[in-house]
């Protein structure tokens, strides 16, 4: 029996455009579009519209590559190239604001990313100088307290929903968790403020109040992420433990939780990253101050998001000093969120169950 091999370019394989063709078409589209917009700008005496030239080049590229592919490769491959170009263009368009924000924050924030910014507060500072140490300490303490409140409540709620919850009560809890997931952050701040105002009187501003507000936002995220991870644990592992006479609570502690610990930890880290940049609830509950405060249960406490807001809102003389401090704090906040997301990925990799033998 003779086996025939199909080589590229043969009748069976079909005609294909060279690999360099899409890049050449893209280069030609960009060149033609920028030349057209350059001529229009020169004729009208205006400036070259880079955004318009890129959009026109993208449309021109899609049209040309689709027509060329339809002539050479057929309509099916032409549609594939059209959709690929459309999806790639949508991805690049979505990346534009992200890259723009990153470049803007880094370029403006590096001016005050110095030692003074990290080791001093704003006490007795009315102009240049000062730092955000008090805001860093406040963010650390408030977020830590919110995590201590949220993780046990969220994790135990998810365990109940997966392992014990049946009937109307479990459905009600699931519905309330879904509702809490979508509430505005300022509502959480108002709730925490009203709760403490009942016992301590109106005008209360403390770090622990801010931690309670953030925990209201964290709990539904922890519940949802932990619930999904617990449901991924195979039932065979539970049944094997029950067959050995292990009680249900011990099976959860020794089998279910260790198996899903990587996903649960990742969800917790992402929940922290979600609330660490909240401004509105902390502005209502913890307030703002220029001094250091290590006590969550006494006086106002500054945080990095509120620090950024106050530096922009309450500008003094010179104004550029306040802008520089605000941009530096924003850059620090972005770096913290990036570090938390990276840590979540590393934890998921380290604690993931080993499948190899």
């Amino acid at each position: 029996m003779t086996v025939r091999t199909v080589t590229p370019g043969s009748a069976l394989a079909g005609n294909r455009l060279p690999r360099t063709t899409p890049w050449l078409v893209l280069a030609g589209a960009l060149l033609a579009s920028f030349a057209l917009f350059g001529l229009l700008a020169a004729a009208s005496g205006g400036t070259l519209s880079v955004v318009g030239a890129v959009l026109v080049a993208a449309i021109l590229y899609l049209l040309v590559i689709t027509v060329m592919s339809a002539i050479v490769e057929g309509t099916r491959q032409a549609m594939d190239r059209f959709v690929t170009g459309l999806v790639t263009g949508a991805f690049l368009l979505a990346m534009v604001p992200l890259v723009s924000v990153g470049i803007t924050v880094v370029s403006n924030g590096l001016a005050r990313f110095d030692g003074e910014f990290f080791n001093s507060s704003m006490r007795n500072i009315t102009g240049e100088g000062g730092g955000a140490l008090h805001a860093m300490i406040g963010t650390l303490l408030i977020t830590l307290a919110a995590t201590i409140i949220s993780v046990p409540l969220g994790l135990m709620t998810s365990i109940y929903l997966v392992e014990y919850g049946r009937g109307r009560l479990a459905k009600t809890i699931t519905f309330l968790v879904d509702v809490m997931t979508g509430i505005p952050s300022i509502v959480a701040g108002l709730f925490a403020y009203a709760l403490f105002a009942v016992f301590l009187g109106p005008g209360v501003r403390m770090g622990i109040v801010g931690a309670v507000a953030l925990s209201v936002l964290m709990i539904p995220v922890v519940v949802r992420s932990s619930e999904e991870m617990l449901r991924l644990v195979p039932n065979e592992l539970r049944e094997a433990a029950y067959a050995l006479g292990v009680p249900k609570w011990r099976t959860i502690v020794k089998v279910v939780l260790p198996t899903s610990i990587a996903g649960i930890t990742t969800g917790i880290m992402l929940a922290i990253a979600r609330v660490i940049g909240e401004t509105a609830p902390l502005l209502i509950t913890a307030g703002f101050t220029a001094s250091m405060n290590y006590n969550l249960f006494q006086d106002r406490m500054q945080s990095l998001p509120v620090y950024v807001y106050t530096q922009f809102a309450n500008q003094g003389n010179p104004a550029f000093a306040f802008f520089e401090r605000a941009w530096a704090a924003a850059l620090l906040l972005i770096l913290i969120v990036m570090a938390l997301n990276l840590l979540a990925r590393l934890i998921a990799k380290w604690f993931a169950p080993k499948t190899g033998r």
Side-chain angles (χ1 to χ4, degrees):
M1 180 177 179
T2 305
V3 179
R4 296 181 61 185
T5 59
V6 178
T7 58
S10 66
L12 293 177
N15 296 324
R16 300 280 295 182
L17 290 173
R19 293 184 177 181
T20 58
T21 300
W23 298 105
L24 293 176
V25 172
L26 179 60
L30 287 172
L31 184 61
S33 179
F34 273 93
L36 175 61
F37 274 79
L39 291 175
L40 293 176
S44 61
T47 58
L48 176 65
S49 177
V50 178
V51 176
V54 171
L55 290 178
V56 171
I59 297 174
L60 183 61
Y61 165 80
L62 285 176
L63 293 176
V64 174
I65 196 66
T66 303
V67 172
M68 291 179 62
S69 180
I71 295 174
V72 177
E73 300 174 322
T75 56
R76 185 174 183 178
Q77 187 64 27
M79 181 58 65
D80 180 74
R81 288 189 181 275
F82 176 78
V83 174
T84 301
L86 201 63
V87 171
T88 304
F91 166 73
L92 294 176
L93 187 62
M95 288 294 294
V96 168
L98 177 61
V99 174
S100 177
V101 168
I103 294 175
T104 304
V105 174
V106 171
S107 60
N108 290 282
L110 286 178
R112 277 303 320 275
F113 232 58
D114 50 25
E116 185 180 6
F117 181 80
F118 288 95
N119 61 20
S120 61
S121 66
M122 288 299 296
R123 185 175 179 84
N124 299 326
I125 301 296
T126 57
E128 299 183 54
L133 180 60
H134 60 310
M136 300 176 204
I137 297 298
T139 297
L140 177 63
L141 294 177
I142 292 174
T143 308
L144 180 61
T147 304
I148 293 174
I149 296 172
S150 304
V151 171
L153 291 176
L155 186 56
M156 286 188 288
T157 301
S158 62
I159 291 175
Y160 170 79
L161 292 175
V162 175
E163 303 293 338
Y164 298 96
R166 298 293 184 275
R168 186 172 299 177
L169 179 59
K171 294 180 179 179
T172 303
I173 294 175
T174 302
F175 173 75
L176 293 176
V177 169
D178 292 337
V179 172
M180 288 179 62
T181 305
I183 64 172
S185 59
I186 194 169
V187 175
L190 290 172
F191 164 76
Y193 174 80
L195 177 64
F196 279 82
V198 171
F199 301 99
L200 302 178
V204 58
R205 299 287 191 279
M206 292 186 299
I208 189 62
V209 187
V212 171
L214 294 186
S215 67
V216 173
L217 300 174
M218 282 186 65
I219 287 175
V221 179
V222 175
V223 171
R224 271 296 174 213
S225 60
S226 301
E227 182 182 359
E228 293 300 324
M229 292 302 106
L230 292 174
R231 292 189 188 279
L232 291 177
V233 178
N235 284 327
E236 289 78 5
L237 295 178
R238 298 180 176 90
E239 294 170 356
Y242 298 152
L244 295 175
V246 180
K248 188 169 187 176
W249 70 268
R250 196 171 184 84
T251 300
I252 295 172
V253 174
K254 295 294 185 180
V255 177
V256 177
L257 289 179
T259 305
S260 59
I261 189 63
I264 292 174
T265 307
T266 302
I268 292 172
M269 300 303 294
L270 294 178
I272 295 174
R274 153 92 172 83
V275 303
I276 199 172
E278 290 292 345
T279 305
L282 295 182
L283 189 61
I284 296 174
T285 56
F288 55 89
T289 179
S291 304
M292 299 291 297
N293 182 11
Y294 298 94
N295 191 348
L296 284 168
F297 299 92
Q298 184 178 0
D299 297 332
R300 299 168 180 258
M301 180 172 284
Q302 185 72 287
S303 60
L304 279 173
V306 178
Y307 179 85
V308 175
Y309 168 77
T310 54
Q311 290 297 307
F312 268 112
N314 305 322
Q315 298 174 24
N317 189 21
F320 75 87
F322 291 80
F323 277 104
E324 288 180 349
R325 286 192 292 262
W327 281 114
L331 177 58
L332 178 61
L333 201 55
I334 291 177
L335 292 177
I336 292 175
V337 174
M338 289 178 59
L340 288 174
N341 282 272
L342 179 61
L343 184 60
R345 291 179 178 272
L346 293 176
I347 289 174
K349 181 179 179 180
W350 290 336
F351 290 97
K354 304 298 185 293
T355 58
R357 294 185 177 180

